Amino acid sequence: MHPSAALNRISPSPTLAISSKVGALKRAGIDVIGLSAGEPDFDTPDFVKEAAIEAIRSGQTKYTDVDGTPALKAAIAAKFKRDNGLDYATTQVTANVGGKHTLFNAMVATLDAGDEVIIPAPYWVSYPDVVQFTGGVPVVVGCGAAQHYKITPEQLEAAITPRTKWLILNSPSNPTGAAYSTDELRALGEVLLRHPHVWVFADDMYEHILYDGFQFSTIAQVVPALFERTLTVNGCSKAYAMTGWRIGFAGGPEWLIKAMGKLQSQSTSNPCSIAQAAATAALNGDQTFLKDRAAAFQARRNLVVGMLNATMGMQCPRPEGAFYVYPDCSGLIGKRAPKGAVIDGDSALVDYLLDEARVAAVPGIAFGLSPAMRISYATSESVLRDACTRIQEACAALA
């Protein structure tokens, strides 16, 4: 017996691996600052917790419909209408076990061997692996800091072939925080309208974490002609600080939603019934707290961007959203650590920062664009100031 070919086409999540390493160091009593996890430090709102407790007390502990309770599906449809101006019937929405599960369902349900998926880089680590698991081909398009980490219409046009099935579009982005403006989405949409065989996986997971008055748009809203070939994806994990509850969701054409439900019926079946009740409350409840949390993240972003841009060898763009920065580290590559090791890439730099500064980040190689690293600023300003000071001192010690 040996692992399947499909399993051998993927790798363990590098972000989760680093988070596990940080956890082990902390349990060993080592003073380490973890800036590798994509998880808000805010707690789940109390009204969401209370809805979950009430669900337990009222016996909502049985199986539900495979891809979401009627109440949750109605809340998802209402959210898409309220926030995005998109009209989905409840038969056109699905609830899954987190956004990663939504991605997995969509790709497995639609890709055949050799089908291509365009993935702008830097990308969320799971995109290419899930495509490869299906036998599909990730077509990675490098989008550097000079173009604000966003794919251009010209790059999109050049990447499309007769085998292209999907474009994955993540805005605001993990790992860069870059967000597409309405005009940028419209320009990409004009390209896609010339290629009716290409679908869009619009990953809007960080929709509510935006800064400086940036106005969020999603592509099916900006280019209505793409509505019938767009899967609009979101979830409760980031905005509502519900990472552990594991609820992602999507809206799309009914045939695709049914296909994803068919797959889910033979894999996980329904998401946790208690988590679904909590997600229903989150989506239906008072949304005003989201702006307060975004304001707190913006102050953290300003702190981190300022300190990293004052760090030797780093250039850190100012992101429009999410809670990550993605500093270019090319000015540090080739330098030598005090103990003699050469920093020959961003993996070596991240290892050095963990060993010498006790700060954990994720190397850019995990996201398909080097030399860089992802730093999550989803923690307190005092911790971030300490972490950035440590990074500054460790980088200054390189020769």
Side-chain angles (χ1 to χ4, degrees), residues 85-99:
L86 297 174
D87 287 303
Y88 290 113
T90 55
T91 54
Q92 294 176 294
V93 298
T94 177
N96 319 112
V97 188

Side-chain angles (χ1 to χ4, degrees), residues 239-324:
Y240 300 97
M242 295 176 65
T243 50
W245 299 79
R246 309 309 302 135
I247 296 291
F249 55 82
E254 189 168 341
W255 76 264
L256 176 58
I257 298 301
K258 283 184 176 178
M260 293 168 65
K262 178 181 178 181
L263 176 63
Q264 190 160 313
S265 76
Q266 294 291 8
S267 56
T268 63
S269 193
N270 63 272
C272 169
S273 61
I274 310 306
Q276 289 190 67
T280 302
L283 294 174
N284 286 339
D286 184 356
Q287 307 292 299
T288 55
F289 75 95
L290 295 173
K291 289 189 169 150
D292 293 335
R293 292 191 173 184
F297 279 129
Q298 180 172 318
R300 297 170 181 183
R301 177 207 61 175
N302 294 343
L303 169 67
V304 170
V305 169
M307 292 190 72
L308 291 181
N309 276 327
T311 300
M312 185 192 75
M314 287 195 188
Q315 292 182 313
C316 185
R318 182 179 296 268
E320 292 90 1
F323 40 72
Y324 311 104

Side-chain angles (χ1 to χ4, degrees), residues 118 120-121 141-144 146-160 167 169 180 184 187-189 191 194:
I118 298 171
V141 178
C143 307
Q147 62 194 75
H148 307 290
Y149 297 129
K150 292 180 276 191
I151 192 170
T152 65
E154 294 76 18
Q155 286 179 307
L156 176 58
E157 185 80 58
I160 293 173
L167 162 68
L169 203 58
Y180 289 86
E184 288 168 333
L188 294 174
V191 175
R194 295 195 290 271

Side-chain angles (χ1 to χ4, degrees), residues 12-215:
S13 168
T15 53
L16 294 180
I18 292 171
S19 294
S20 295
K21 187 174 183 179
V22 170
L25 289 170
K26 287 183 175 179
R27 287 190 294 274
I30 296 171
D31 173 27
V32 59
I33 301 175
L35 302 181
S36 58
E39 182 170 53
D41 60 317
F42 295 114
D43 200 7
T44 303
D46 286 341
F47 75 92
V48 176
K49 294 181 188 176
E50 291 302 322
I53 293 167
E54 177 54 32
I56 294 170
R57 287 177 174 151
S58 63
Q60 296 179 46
T61 56
K62 310 296 185 186
Y63 293 130
T64 74
D65 292 347
V66 164
D67 63 348
T69 63
L72 178 54
K73 286 193 164 192
I76 293 167
K79 172 263 176 294
F80 281 132
K81 178 65 174 175
R82 176 186 71 230
D83 296 342
N84 311 116
L86 297 174
D87 287 303
Y88 290 113
T90 55
T91 54
Q92 294 176 294
V93 298
T94 177
N96 319 112
V97 188
K100 192 177 293 188
H101 190 209
T102 308
L103 171 71
F104 187 88
N105 281 354
M107 296 300 116
V108 173
T110 59
L111 292 178
D112 293 314
D115 286 343
E116 296 174 355
V117 178
I118 298 171
I119 305 174
Y123 48 68
W124 180 42
V125 294
S126 293
Y127 293 148
D129 278 270
V130 171
V131 171
Q132 288 171 161
F133 179 85
T134 71
V137 179
V139 177
V140 175
V141 178
C143 307
Q147 62 194 75
H148 307 290
Y149 297 129
K150 292 180 276 191
I151 192 170
T152 65
E154 294 76 18
Q155 286 179 307
L156 176 58
E157 185 80 58
I160 293 173
T161 76
R163 295 304 303 266
T164 306
K165 273 279 186 79
W166 290 94
L167 162 68
I168 296 181
L169 203 58
N170 180 206
S171 175
S173 159
N174 176 1
T176 69
Y180 289 86
S181 69
T182 299
D183 288 344
E184 288 168 333
L185 290 174
R186 188 174 292 111
L188 294 174
E190 289 173 1
V191 175
L192 292 166
L193 290 175
R194 295 195 290 271
H195 300 278
H197 65 293
V198 182
W199 284 58
V200 186
F201 184 97
D203 184 346
D204 300 342
M205 194 65 67
Y206 296 88
E207 169 187 6
H208 293 296
I209 306 174
L210 291 163
Y211 312 128
D212 304 321
F214 188 94
Q215 295 298 306

Side-chain angles (χ1 to χ4, degrees), residues 343-366:
I343 306 299
D344 59 2
D346 50 31
S347 290
L349 176 62
V350 166
D351 287 344
Y352 167 70
L353 291 176
L354 183 58
D355 291 341
E356 298 300 322
R358 295 302 185 194
V359 176
V362 187
I365 193 171

